[in-house]
Amino acid sequence: MTYPFDTELAPWVPMLPVLDLRDPAAAREVGRAIAAQLPQPDLTGLTVLDRTVPGPAGAPAVPVRIYTPQPAAAPLPAVLHLHGGGFVLGDLALEHADAAAFATGIGAVVIAVDYRLAPEEPFPAALEDCYAVLCWLAGNTDELGVDPTRLGLYGRSSGGGIAAGLTLLTRDRGGPRLAMQYLDVPVLDDQLGSVSMRAYVDTPIWNRPSAELGWAYYLGDDVKPGDPSVSPYAAPARAEDLAGLPPAFISSCQFDPVRDEGMHYAQRLAQAGVPTEAHLYPATFHGSALVTEAAVSRRMQQDAVAAFRRML
């Protein structure tokens, strides 16, 4: 199918990588090759530290990368940064430039999380890894130079779905209080029944066939996508009660299979009394923000930084 993409985005579409999730190992190799070709970010004014933090009970420690603006005269806000990748791929290297840009642009300590991946480690492994890192962050704000009242959450794509699940889990467990959540083109609904999900079977970066595989891997062998037993912590669109969640900013792209679930989730958050801002970017596809040569992509990135500055 031909899509009327933004005229500055369209020339890049044929050059975008094809991520075939039928072979997770091969898809990860593609992801690593992409990361190796990315220009190194400008780390001026940042200190960057790789370390591990305690994982969930009985699970391995979780690798993180911490970006801290320097000098910091006062405690800074902090952002937990959850990468995308269809629940199957993604790592600290692929998110390096993005996380560094957030730290510099927002003036915040950014903690990128290298959570466990499906299918080897299905739900709830990734979610519990992220919750463990959030609890570690909240318990070590003095050491990190972080203001404990200004903890934010960012997730892109599948990372956006994990981020949304994390806000639900944190609320229900009485965990650390979050000041905001930014869900960037989030993957939220395993039922795959929206108009956009049915329509966009061949869009760049993410499409219905990839969504079917990603959800199957994430939920594991015992629970199938669409099954009534799927946990709302895995598929936040299933959550019945969204009250008491942190203020939200949700971005969606027009030609994206997850467009409708993101917009619907924003509407439901607002209906539940959660301060919510939603942006739908016309003529864009899933991951358009990565094409920095296009004006609409730069606007998406600028809107993200502005949202964090405003809400955090």
Side-chain angles (χ1 to χ4, degrees):
M1 181 174 175
T2 301
Y3 300 94
F5 292 130
D6 178 273
T7 55
E8 291 183 327
L9 287 175
W12 291 89
V13 171
M15 296 181 277
L16 295 172
V18 177
L19 299 176
D20 187 350
L21 296 188
R22 290 175 296 179
D23 185 341
R28 289 172 192 154
E29 286 298 324
V30 172
R32 283 190 281 269
I34 294 170
Q37 296 171 12
L38 292 174
Q40 289 299 304
D42 182 2
L43 300 179
T44 304
L46 293 176
T47 60
V48 181
L49 173 66
D50 287 348
R51 62 165 295 172
T52 59
V53 304
V62 184
V64 299
R65 181 169 290 170
I66 305 169
Y67 302 79
T68 305
Q70 298 293 340
L76 297 173
V79 176
L80 207 64
H81 190 287
L82 310 184
H83 67 75
F87 304 115
V88 174
L89 63 150
D91 54 25
L92 299 178
L94 196 58
E95 295 296 315
H96 184 45
D98 193 53
F102 268 155
T104 300
I106 303 166
V109 176
V110 170
I111 301 174
V113 184
D114 200 5
Y115 55 80
R116 286 173 288 170
L117 300 174
E120 296 87 350
E121 298 285 352
F123 173 83
L127 179 66
E128 292 290 358
D129 282 356
C130 295
Y131 183 72
V133 176
L134 176 60
C135 291
W136 171 83
L137 165 60
N140 292 274
T141 52
D142 287 345
E143 173 192 343
L144 296 167
V146 164
D147 181 345
T149 68
R150 301 170 71 194
L151 306 182
L153 188 58
Y154 171 84
R156 174 185 288 140
S157 189
S158 56
I162 295 169
L166 183 57
T167 67
L168 293 164
L169 186 70
T170 302
R171 178 198 65 183
D172 295 346
R173 287 183 178 175
R177 184 175 181 82
L178 289 163
M180 66 163 296
Q181 56 178 316
Y182 189 114
L183 310 181
D184 189 359
V185 293
V187 176
L188 299 166
D189 193 354
D190 68 293
Q191 297 167 97
L192 307 179
S194 72
V195 171
S196 61
M197 183 59 73
R198 294 195 302 269
Y200 299 138
V201 299
D202 60 352
T203 40
I205 304 294
W206 195 244
N207 47 52
R208 184 185 176 93
S210 295
E212 291 173 346
L213 283 170
W215 276 113
Y217 291 145
Y218 187 52
L219 296 177
D221 296 333
D222 297 332
V223 181
K224 302 302 180 185
D227 190 279
S229 66
V230 171
S231 169
Y233 299 129
R238 290 177 172 267
E240 295 182 1
D241 179 13
L242 300 182
L245 295 178
F249 187 105
I250 298 180
S251 66
S252 299
C253 292
Q254 182 176 1
F255 300 113
D256 184 346
V258 300
R259 178 196 67 203
D260 294 349
E261 59 203 69
M263 298 300 289
H264 186 227
Y265 196 70
Q267 182 182 43
R268 290 187 58 222
L269 285 168
Q271 291 168 346
V274 176
T276 303
E277 184 173 347
H279 284 217
L280 174 61
Y281 294 92
T284 56
F285 52 83
H286 193 91
S288 290
L290 302 176
V291 183
T292 56
E293 289 78 4
V296 66
S297 304
R298 293 193 296 273
R299 187 167 74 250
M300 294 166 77
Q301 294 169 329
Q302 291 162 1
D303 287 349
V305 169
F308 275 109
R309 287 179 172 174
R310 183 170 65 253
M311 301 171 68
L312 194 54

